[in-house]
Amino acid sequence: MFERIAELAIRRSRLVLIVAAVVVVLMGALGAGAFGKLLSGGFDDPSSQSSRAREVIDDKFGGETNLVLLVRAPDGRIDAPAAKRSGQALVSDLKGERDLANVVSYWDTDNPDLRSKDGREAIVLARVKGKDTELQENAKAVIDDYAGTYEDTLTVKAGGSAGVSNEMGPQTTEDLVLAESIAVPLILLLLLVVFGTVVSALLPLAIALVAIVGVFAQLFVGGR
């Protein structure tokens, strides 16, 4: 059987190559939709002790803090009247966000542990609701709305696990696309050099084409 397949590939090499390329492109087009269906989480065993402990924390205490906002008063102290009013307004706005819970700050607790020693910075703690992909989407929306300059008085930077995840996701996608964009053309060139002809390199080329389609699928899907 394999001998007949080889003979067919030799006799109809151009046709086989065209059919293989078309099939790969079609499979890539069908597979591109998988990126929108895949979840970014699923790394934890729901039956593990740590997962059960997290559920207890969520039920009894409203969940653990996963978003930390560092608020800075560039032109003075965080307790200055203008900075204090802006800080209180920021906290009020955050408490009004439906995707946030357990918002705690220096301005509503007067806890010195939530203020820097030089008095120029304070932190706001909160919990972003949701799981896996939903949590990432909620965190991105909140960070996009509040990070940067607030009321021309304060600067806000996001941290915590939700903030880190918000930065890592897009950067990981960009790095992966860059790496594959460099690696795949080099692999194609090496295959042609090693096998000598396109026909001889048909199977390896088909595998490489799958990788190329995956790169472009990530580019288009990841950019939405």
Side-chain angles (χ1 to χ4, degrees):
M1 181 182 67
F2 291 106
E3 182 179 352
R4 292 180 180 178
I5 294 175
E7 292 176 353
L8 175 62
I10 294 173
R11 290 198 309 269
R12 297 287 188 268
S13 58
R14 183 174 300 178
L15 176 61
V16 171
L17 182 60
I18 293 174
V19 171
V22 171
V23 169
V24 168
V25 172
L26 290 176
M27 293 300 101
L30 291 174
F35 289 95
K37 303 294 184 182
L38 296 175
L39 299 177
S40 58
F43 303 108
D44 299 328
D45 180 3
S47 62
S48 66
Q49 292 182 352
S50 60
S51 295
R52 293 200 298 269
R54 189 185 304 112
E55 291 178 358
V56 172
I57 292 174
D58 291 345
D59 293 339
K60 301 295 184 181
F61 304 102
E64 60 184 3
T65 296
N66 55 17
L67 179 64
V68 180
L69 299 179
L70 176 65
V71 184
R72 180 177 177 82
D75 300 326
R77 295 177 60 82
I78 210 74
D79 287 319
K84 184 175 182 179
R85 285 194 298 270
S86 295
Q88 291 172 338
L90 171 64
V91 174
S92 177
D93 288 344
L94 290 170
K95 288 184 176 181
E97 293 287 341
R98 64 178 183 179
D99 295 325
L100 291 181
N102 300 347
V103 178
V104 179
S105 76
Y106 166 71
W107 291 281
D108 55 10
T109 63
D110 290 324
N111 187 340
D113 292 335
L114 300 179
R115 182 188 63 184
S116 63
K117 291 182 179 180
D118 62 6
R120 296 174 64 90
E121 297 174 333
I123 60 175
V124 180
L125 307 176
R127 174 177 173 264
V128 182
K129 298 177 183 179
K131 293 184 178 180
D132 300 334
T133 302
E134 182 186 10
L135 188 151
Q136 290 190 1
E137 293 174 351
N138 294 342
K140 183 179 186 306
V142 171
I143 293 171
D144 288 346
D145 288 342
Y146 293 96
T149 302
Y150 185 83
E151 290 191 351
D152 298 325
T153 307
L154 306 173
T155 59
V156 182
K157 295 182 179 180
S161 59
V164 171
S165 178
N166 182 64
E167 293 291 333
M168 287 182 60
Q171 188 62 51
T172 301
T173 301
E174 292 178 9
D175 292 345
L176 180 61
V177 170
L178 176 61
E180 292 185 352
S181 298
I182 295 172
V184 170
L186 292 177
I187 292 173
L188 289 173
L189 180 61
L190 288 174
L191 287 173
L192 289 175
V193 171
V194 171
F195 289 96
T197 64
V198 174
V199 175
S200 300
L202 180 60
L203 179 58
L205 279 173
I207 297 173
L209 284 171
V210 172
I212 292 175
V213 172
V215 170
F216 284 103
Q218 278 189 310
L219 277 171
F220 291 114
V221 176
R224 294 181 191 175

